[in-house]
Amino acid sequence: MFKSIFTFSFFTAISRISGLIRDVLIATVIGANSLADIFFSSFRFANLFRAFFAEGAFTTSFIPLYSTESYDNKKAFNFASSVISITFIILVIFCFIMQTFSPYMIQIFAPGFDQSKFTLTVTLSRIMMPYIIFVSIASLIGGMLQVKQHFASTAIAPIVLNLCLIISLFVPYVKTPAHNLSIAVLIGGIFQLLLILFSAYKLKAAFSFSLELSNEVRLFFKRVIPAIINNCVTQISLWIDTIMASFIPNAVSYIYYADRLNQLPQGIIGTAIGTVLLPLISKQVNNTENIVKIQNKALNIGLMLIMPTTAAFIIIPDIILLTLFSYGRFDHYAVQQTVPTLIAFSLSLPAFIINKVLLPTFFAKGNLKIPTIFSLMCLGINVVLNLLLMNKYQHTGIAIATSVSTWINSILLISYLTINKMYKVSQALLLNIMKIFVATAVMSIALYIFNSLLAGLFFDKMLARIVYLATLIALSVIVYFGTLYLTFRGSLNNLKYV
């Protein structure tokens, strides 16, 4: 398991770094203004449906069933062929409908935009909409590869999208930089699918066009409906945040940049763990004892890696934002507005890891009702907190609400699994968590002192900023893992059994 997580994390790290470079360039070219709000809203609109299909509902329903069928090559071939073919037809029809009704959808999702911003948002959304077809089919084929324990292509695919977006900023603009970026999203989706198809061909993960509705295919679409609803809740929560942020000048951009940084550890650590666990737990679906062991090992790894990251986002958010984004049109004022938002978002990182570890158990068993109910409850809490906090804390209140609702979701998942004897925190994990907290505290103190002592070295030049941030990160890593190894020798030994 550790090897698979490391492989996925490695390529995801490259993907996130390329995404970070992309965002730095966007911040430099566009900044945090009306055009940025328009592009990010359009991009989020496309990603809303990508998350419905590509990243959630389809894969969480497909992988457990394909894993079961994979013991018989013919059954696996027939199942994959039918699911991919029928899904393709559904997505084509869906995109046609969305192209027609996108003005009405944008009115709902960005009611705070004036007429000029609204019109351009509709145009860019229509350009990006077919992207959903390519990336969704790629996710299903990627699920086939994951069952075969091949995770690299799935992690590499987003790099292709980021490269397309980066290149689009260096070619002549069609009308605005936002138009180029929107076209690049569509082209990136096509190349992502081609990459996954090539990997499937190399690994002999075959499929063809088929509309056969076997019992397994029917079960897939029966499961995918509640899975879509579950994902809808998560994405609706994000869109409610966007709707409320659209009434605050430039808030959509501040939230976007803070959230993008927050997604860096989410993807490298959380998404990597969740992606590896789903096919692994699917093969152990009837062995609760083994599943619990897998979950505890995954939590040990995840929390060990996420806690120092969370601490860094809280202690030096200004240094991180100044180093990565404060160039061109993204000025110091934009950094100041984004800092508290990043801190608020970062508080949800440990809860995000917990959710990613526990949810595959529900997906593998085909039980999506419970996580959907919990998501709906957290959606309501998020909306109420947004309304309560926005007046006083503006866009930062939105981030605080997101973190609180994420933690409540984690508590509900742990409670349900524990009560139903589907999960139990081991004594070894509790002991390691205590050690992780102590090591994080030591690192936090050291990072604060390092930053205070070396503050004079933080210059306005890009290279000086990068060297300074890299130095702080290197020193923090040494202190954190040094504390774990020297003070709590043996706490890392459990990893060799993972």
Side-chain angles (χ1 to χ4, degrees):
M1 180 174 71
F2 183 75
K3 182 179 178 182
S4 297
I5 291 174
F6 177 79
T7 300
F8 195 90
S9 294
F10 174 76
F11 287 110
T12 302
I14 296 174
S15 169
R16 297 292 177 168
I17 290 169
S18 67
L20 199 57
I21 294 170
R22 175 197 79 190
D23 289 334
V24 169
L25 290 172
I26 292 174
T28 303
V29 174
I30 300 178
N33 52 33
S34 295
L35 185 60
D37 282 357
I38 290 167
F39 171 71
F40 293 142
S41 296
S42 305
F43 193 31
R44 180 161 284 184
F45 187 67
N47 281 326
L48 170 71
F49 297 106
R50 182 200 68 180
F52 281 174
F53 305 126
E55 291 184 351
F58 287 171
T59 50
T60 55
S61 303
F62 180 80
I63 288 176
L65 291 172
Y66 184 76
S67 180
T68 302
E69 298 295 308
S70 64
Y71 293 103
D72 184 321
N73 289 333
K74 185 177 180 181
K75 285 185 176 180
F77 173 83
N78 291 336
F79 173 73
S81 298
S82 295
V83 168
I84 291 171
S85 301
I86 295 171
T87 298
F88 174 75
I89 293 172
I90 292 171
L91 288 171
V92 170
I93 295 171
F94 174 81
C95 282
F96 177 78
I97 293 171
M98 291 306 301
Q99 291 280 17
T100 304
F101 293 98
S102 59
Y104 304 101
M105 299 296 291
I106 298 299
Q107 276 184 332
I108 295 172
F109 290 124
F113 283 4
D114 58 30
Q115 188 58 43
S116 60
K117 291 176 71 173
F118 167 78
T119 302
L120 185 52
T121 303
V122 171
T123 300
L124 300 186
S125 298
R126 282 175 166 165
I127 292 172
M128 286 186 269
M129 191 58 64
Y131 163 75
I132 299 166
I133 299 173
F134 302 111
V135 76
S136 297
I137 298 301
S139 74
L140 286 174
I141 302 170
M144 297 168 65
L145 301 180
Q146 290 168 30
V147 171
K148 294 178 178 292
Q149 295 299 298
H150 176 81
F151 298 95
S153 295
T154 308
I156 291 171
I159 300 174
V160 175
L161 175 64
N162 290 331
L163 289 175
C164 290
L165 288 165
I166 290 170
I167 292 170
S168 73
L169 293 171
F170 291 94
V171 299
Y173 300 146
V174 175
K175 286 186 178 179
T176 67
H179 283 81
N180 278 37
L181 289 166
S182 301
I183 295 169
V185 169
L186 178 58
I187 296 172
I190 295 171
F191 280 115
Q192 282 179 295
L193 178 57
L194 291 175
L195 170 66
I196 297 294
L197 284 171
F198 177 75
S199 299
Y201 172 77
K202 297 288 287 185
L203 291 171
K204 297 181 180 179
F207 63 93
S208 65
F209 187 81
S210 172
L211 299 178
E212 180 185 353
L213 280 172
S214 65
N215 290 333
E216 290 76 17
V217 174
R218 293 176 189 273
L219 180 58
F220 166 78
F221 285 104
K222 183 180 178 181
R223 287 187 178 183
V224 89
I225 293 173
I228 289 175
I229 294 172
N230 182 53
N231 274 357
C232 279
V233 174
T234 304
Q235 295 305 313
I236 287 171
S237 178
L238 291 173
W239 263 105
I240 287 174
D241 291 350
T242 303
I243 289 170
M244 293 187 174
S246 71
F247 291 99
I248 304 171
N250 303 329
V252 173
S253 300
Y254 301 143
I255 290 174
Y256 175 84
Y257 289 118
D259 187 43
R260 285 297 300 170
L261 271 177
N262 203 48
Q263 286 179 26
L264 189 63
Q266 282 182 351
I268 295 173
I269 304 168
T271 303
I273 290 174
T275 301
V276 171
L277 284 185
L278 183 54
L280 192 62
I281 290 177
S282 295
K283 292 182 178 180
Q284 304 277 344
V285 69
N286 295 318
N287 192 330
T288 302
E289 185 178 348
N290 279 353
I291 290 176
V292 171
K293 288 179 180 178
I294 291 169
Q295 289 171 326
N296 281 323
K297 290 175 181 177
L299 277 173
N300 190 45
I301 296 170
L303 293 175
M304 186 182 297
L305 297 174
I306 206 68
M307 288 305 297
T309 308
T310 304
F313 280 173
I314 293 171
I315 296 169
I316 55 167
D318 51 340
I319 302 298
I320 295 171
L321 287 165
L322 283 166
T323 302
L324 298 177
F325 294 126
S326 188
Y327 308 101
R329 298 178 66 85
F330 196 89
D331 55 22
H332 280 64
Y333 177 78
V335 170
Q336 291 170 1
Q337 293 298 309
T338 309
V339 161
T341 310
L342 176 58
I343 294 173
F345 272 136
S346 69
L347 296 174
S348 69
L349 287 173
F352 181 85
I353 296 297
I354 294 170
N355 293 345
K356 283 295 182 180
V357 171
L358 299 181
L359 282 172
T361 300
F362 293 94
F363 299 149
K365 293 179 179 293
N367 179 9
L368 296 172
K369 180 181 177 181
I370 296 302
T372 301
I373 291 172
F374 291 162
S375 295
L376 283 168
M377 293 169 61
C378 292
L379 172 62
I381 292 168
N382 188 53
V383 172
V384 171
L385 289 175
N386 276 338
L387 294 172
L388 291 175
L389 297 173
M390 271 185 61
N391 284 336
K392 185 174 182 180
Y393 299 106
Q394 297 290 294
H395 52 279
T396 303
I398 295 173
I400 295 171
T402 298
S403 289
V404 171
S405 60
T406 304
W407 271 106
I408 291 173
N409 195 28
S410 297
I411 293 169
L412 290 172
L413 290 173
I414 292 173
S415 300
Y416 178 87
L417 291 175
T418 303
I419 291 170
N420 289 276
K421 298 180 179 179
M422 297 165 66
Y423 177 67
K424 182 181 179 181
V425 180
S426 67
Q427 292 297 318
L429 176 61
L430 286 174
L431 182 60
N432 281 342
I433 289 175
M434 291 176 63
K435 294 174 180 178
I436 290 167
F437 270 107
V438 172
T440 302
V442 172
M443 186 213 77
S444 300
I445 294 169
L447 179 58
Y448 179 81
I449 293 172
F450 291 150
N451 187 39
S452 300
L453 293 176
L454 302 175
L457 301 178
F458 192 73
F459 304 112
D460 285 336
K461 300 294 182 181
M462 177 187 288
L463 182 59
R465 291 181 181 183
I466 293 172
V467 170
Y468 180 79
L469 179 60
T471 302
L472 289 180
I473 292 172
L475 291 171
S476 299
V477 168
I478 292 170
V479 171
Y480 178 73
F481 286 103
T483 303
L484 281 178
Y485 182 77
L486 296 174
T487 311
F488 306 103
R489 187 168 297 179
S491 67
L492 303 181
N493 287 344
N494 288 335
L495 286 179
K496 68 183 180 182
Y497 300 113
V498 176

